[in-house]
Amino acid sequence: MHKIFGNKLDVKYYTRPGAYIIPEKNGKIAIVKTPKGFFLLGGGYEKNETDEECIKRECFEEIGYSVSVGEYICSAETYVYHPKVKYFHPMQKYYTGKLITKDTQPIEKDHILTWVTYDEIKGKMFSEMQNWALDTYFEKYSNVFNK
């Protein structure tokens, strides 16, 4: 499943592909809280990274954890105006995943690992496409939350 958000204008966009996980444990989802808002764990690719390599590196940097990447859930992209990069086109893939071990202190000190229920976070992610990814995850895996 793939969804496109925003309206593409006839301008040059900065395209930023990335990959993210939605880890679940005991009916809660791991996200990061930053000064800008709530985000899924993951981020943009570095040169020649696979989805799994990107997610593992980003999680290590953001929260200091080793992770395992599970199955593909969905993908989304959006066309937005960003104050720093102007016309921005993030493209994101989303996966299930697990936090394995905390190996170190996070490099990104303003990223706070937060465990929330779906009801607590529904509609509150910084990005509209990450809200949609969570909704898609919940629809697909609702049996996990209805124990």
Side-chain angles (χ1 to χ4, degrees):
M1 182 182 307
H2 182 80
K3 186 165 181 174
I4 300 172
F5 293 87
N7 296 312
K8 185 177 181 183
L9 302 174
D10 189 20
V11 296
K12 184 175 180 174
Y13 281 86
Y14 171 65
T15 298
R16 180 81 165 136
Y20 297 79
I21 60 170
I22 302 174
E24 179 277 329
K25 182 177 179 183
N26 299 323
K28 292 194 172 187
I29 301 163
I31 60 169
V32 289
K33 182 179 180 182
T34 76
K36 288 171 59 175
F38 298 107
F39 295 86
L40 296 177
L41 296 165
Y45 300 127
E46 288 188 355
K47 190 174 183 180
N48 298 320
E49 277 185 324
T50 64
D51 293 350
E52 184 172 351
E53 290 167 338
C54 173
I55 290 167
K56 287 182 174 184
R57 176 187 49 77
E58 286 283 350
C59 288
F60 193 77
E61 292 172 3
E62 290 176 354
I63 59 170
Y65 272 79
S66 295
V67 300
S68 66
V69 179
E71 69 179 69
Y72 171 82
I73 302 166
C74 61
S75 62
E77 61 189 288
T78 190
Y79 294 93
V80 297
Y81 186 81
H82 187 280
K84 290 184 182 175
V85 296
K86 307 295 181 214
Y87 295 96
F88 188 40
H89 177 222
M91 300 169 51
Q92 302 179 353
K93 294 180 185 176
Y94 308 102
Y95 294 84
T96 63
K98 297 284 181 201
L99 303 188
I100 305 297
T101 56
K102 182 164 183 170
D103 299 320
T104 188
Q105 290 302 311
I107 294 168
E108 298 179 17
K109 303 290 185 200
D110 65 347
H111 285 57
I112 308 300
L113 175 63
T114 307
W115 289 93
V116 295
T117 65
Y118 173 70
D119 287 339
E120 290 171 326
I121 200 63
K122 182 176 175 43
K124 296 178 183 171
M125 301 299 287
F126 180 83
S127 160
E128 182 181 19
M129 64 183 177
Q130 288 192 1
N131 279 317
W132 173 80
L134 275 177
D135 292 344
T136 302
Y137 172 84
F138 185 75
E139 287 171 18
K140 188 171 184 178
Y141 299 98
S142 61
N143 62 317
V144 170
F145 299 95
N146 294 326
K147 290 182 180 176

